[in-house]
Amino acid sequence: GAWRNKEIRENLKKWLSDFAASQFGQKLINNPGIKREQDFRIRLNNNTALAGSIDAYYRDSQNLYHVIDYKITLSRKAPPGLYDSQLDFYALAVNELTHCGKINVIIAFLRENNFAERIITDFDSIRERVINASKNCASGSYEPNTKNCASCPFKKGCIYHE
């Protein structure tokens, strides 16, 4: 795989070192309450059980939760909204576990030491989308979303890319 390539490993080491030295990286390193590589299981109101793993999350001194997802793709190569559903799902999971009602989601683009963030409060609509998607997947009627294929950074290995 790609991680056996020394150049790729060296690049990743540099990106992680630069991130760790950044103001945001230092804030995370010095946060004793941060949860890293946090596995979760949630059960939604239709009794759908879902599981995943969040790169990191923490609660700040104002009781706002922050969910962080690390990416090695370049932000300019990611189509707008590419990671929105993933981060919505993570925010829903943290909200289900904490009942906090408001979550700041952050994408950390490690290659550029760049961040994108947004506040999520509408967990009812996210819950409904997740329930519908899980029902469609379970019934076998889940259609891939191919509208961003042309600009997707993962198109090389994707079975849906034409």
Side-chain angles (χ1 to χ4, degrees):
W3 300 115
R4 291 187 181 141
N5 180 308
K6 184 178 180 181
E7 182 180 351
I8 291 173
R9 284 193 319 271
E10 291 300 318
N11 285 338
L12 181 60
K13 189 184 215 180
K14 181 186 179 333
W15 302 332
L16 291 172
S17 295
D18 290 349
F19 175 73
S22 73
Q23 183 178 2
F24 185 62
Q26 286 296 303
K27 181 176 173 180
L28 297 180
I29 288 169
N30 296 315
N31 184 333
I34 192 165
K35 298 185 184 325
R36 293 179 176 85
E37 297 299 324
Q38 190 68 45
D39 294 334
F40 65 86
R41 290 183 81 73
I42 58 172
R43 189 168 295 278
L44 300 177
N45 16 353
N46 71 336
N47 218 17
T48 299
L50 298 168
S53 183
I54 298 172
D55 288 345
Y57 76 93
Y58 68 95
R59 185 176 66 185
D60 69 18
S61 60
Q62 282 78 44
N63 288 324
L64 177 64
Y65 279 85
H66 302 265
V67 171
I68 305 144
D69 193 55
Y70 304 110
K71 299 296 182 193
I72 60 171
T73 53
L74 294 169
S75 61
R76 68 181 178 276
K77 291 202 174 186
L82 178 65
Y83 303 115
D84 287 354
S85 293
Q86 178 187 9
L87 289 168
D88 288 352
F89 178 55
Y90 292 165
L92 176 64
V94 171
N95 189 65
E96 292 291 315
L97 296 169
T98 65
H99 306 287
C100 60
K102 181 178 178 181
I103 295 177
N104 183 38
V105 293
I106 304 164
I107 302 175
F109 292 98
L110 298 176
R111 289 171 87 168
E112 306 156 303
N113 208 3
N114 184 23
F115 310 93
E117 58 188 297
R118 63 188 165 92
I119 297 287
I120 295 177
T121 57
D122 185 8
F123 295 101
D124 290 337
S125 69
I126 295 170
R127 186 178 298 105
E128 184 177 327
R129 285 195 334 254
V130 169
I131 289 170
N132 288 337
S134 67
K135 283 180 183 177
N136 289 339
C137 285
S139 70
S141 62
Y142 192 81
E143 292 296 318
N145 179 352
T146 58
K147 72 179 182 190
N148 291 321
C149 284
S151 58
C152 180
F154 309 108
K155 65 185 172 192
K156 283 184 182 174
C158 181
I159 61 172
Y160 300 109
H161 180 67
E162 300 172 3

